[in-house]
Amino acid sequence: MGEKEIAIWELIDKMEQQLSQFQDKMDIRQIWKLFLDDIRNLIKIEVSALFLEDENTHEFTLQEVSPADKKKICREEQKLQIECGMFASIIKRRRPGLVPSLVYKGKKDLMLFMLPFSTVKRTRGVAFLFTPIEESALTKEDDRHLEILTTLCSLVMDNTLLYEEKKAMSITDALTGSYNRAYVMEHLPQEIKRAVRYGRPLSLVLCDIDHFKGINDRYGHLAGDHVLREFA
């Protein structure tokens, strides 16, 4: 095993330890930053972007960009990769892909790494890494190491998002999306203390829908659910 390969495996081991040790305390932004810091030991990155799947629309929306002024470029790149079918192909294969950048075509010699953050069940996100073409001639071994790092990050990212989803479900009403009694009981004492500390007024509003039972009886519970959602 050569010196480079030893160094890469040490990097992978280090990342695995960091992610395992801190995954319960990290949010997606922190996981993404840690991932980028380690990936930069493999390839030179000029622009990076993270797209995450929206739970409602199942579209992949831009969440993180570096440098920050490259948002428009990254969104345009995603649009072009979707139109040519490569974005969907990467998600379906669940493996990293190296393709020419379409948004930089004819302007700058950059290649695009598309890295899917996938588990057995789903793909949570996709990373865009723009890299100079002279830095893109990776060996098969480099590509394998990159895939391992992506897999490690995918598992931690999936666990983090699942935790956030379950936490949100525990404090919100499934029908309306409004905060429920558990949320109020948890946060109301804090808000009372804050109001007392700063001498600010605090109001608690209780609402009721008149004749709501009549709506359910006459139009059915689906109509009643619609009324509740609109009221909320």
Side-chain angles (χ1 to χ4, degrees):
M1 188 180 291
E3 291 183 5
K4 180 181 178 181
E5 189 170 356
I6 292 174
I8 294 298
W9 281 110
E10 287 177 349
L11 172 64
I12 292 172
D13 184 60
K14 171 191 168 187
M15 183 178 183
E16 186 175 16
Q17 290 179 13
Q18 288 175 321
L19 290 174
S20 299
Q21 182 178 359
F22 299 112
Q23 65 172 322
D24 293 336
K25 303 175 183 177
M26 290 194 296
D27 58 23
I28 293 300
R29 178 173 293 182
Q30 292 170 311
I31 296 171
W32 171 243
K33 183 179 182 302
L34 179 60
F35 173 76
L36 280 183
D37 288 344
D38 287 335
I39 288 295
R40 286 191 176 98
N41 289 293
L42 283 177
I43 59 175
K44 182 179 179 181
I45 302 173
E46 289 204 5
V47 181
S48 63
L50 173 65
F51 297 85
L52 292 180
E53 183 190 31
D54 184 281
E55 283 294 314
N56 298 315
T57 64
H58 299 293
E59 295 180 352
F60 288 83
T61 58
L62 186 62
Q63 300 294 322
E64 299 289 336
V65 181
S66 180
D69 62 351
K70 302 298 183 182
K71 288 182 180 180
K72 183 177 180 180
I73 286 176
C74 292
R75 288 195 179 100
E76 182 64 22
E77 183 73 51
Q78 181 197 27
K79 178 183 176 183
L80 293 173
Q81 295 295 343
I82 289 175
E83 288 175 353
C84 74
M86 187 56 65
F87 193 85
S89 175
I90 291 294
I91 294 174
K92 183 177 181 180
R93 291 172 56 243
R94 298 186 180 184
R95 296 191 60 185
L98 179 63
V99 298
S101 167
L102 299 178
V103 78
Y104 280 109
K105 187 177 180 180
K107 302 175 184 177
K108 197 173 184 180
D109 290 330
L110 287 181
M111 297 291 285
L112 173 67
F113 260 115
M114 287 193 283
L115 310 175
F117 292 113
S118 303
T119 60
V120 175
K121 295 183 178 180
R122 64 190 296 183
T123 297
R124 287 285 194 172
V126 177
F128 277 14
L129 306 178
F130 295 83
T131 178
I133 193 167
E134 63 269 20
E135 296 288 341
S136 301
L138 300 182
T139 65
K140 289 184 177 180
E141 195 66 20
D142 290 331
D143 190 56
R144 187 163 70 92
H145 294 147
L146 188 63
E147 188 171 350
I148 292 173
L149 287 173
T150 305
T151 300
L152 286 173
C153 189
S154 299
L155 293 172
V156 177
M157 187 177 290
D158 188 58
N159 288 337
T160 300
L161 289 171
L162 282 172
Y163 173 77
E164 291 178 355
E165 288 167 7
K166 288 181 179 179
K167 183 178 180 182
M169 289 173 62
S170 70
I171 60 173
T172 55
D173 175 68
L175 177 64
T176 64
S178 301
Y179 289 123
N180 59 19
R181 181 176 182 274
Y183 179 87
V184 174
M185 297 304 292
E186 179 183 350
H187 288 81
L188 185 57
Q190 300 173 14
E191 294 303 320
I192 292 174
K193 290 179 181 178
R194 183 179 290 111
V196 172
R197 183 165 64 249
Y198 294 106
R200 296 173 179 170
L202 176 66
S203 299
L204 180 63
V205 180
L206 300 179
C207 299
D208 188 29
I209 302 177
D210 291 337
H211 312 297
F212 181 69
K213 184 178 183 302
I215 295 174
N216 281 330
D217 292 342
R218 183 173 182 181
Y219 300 104
H221 289 280
L222 289 178
D225 288 347
H226 178 72
V227 170
L228 286 175
R229 282 193 293 267
E230 289 298 313
F231 181 77

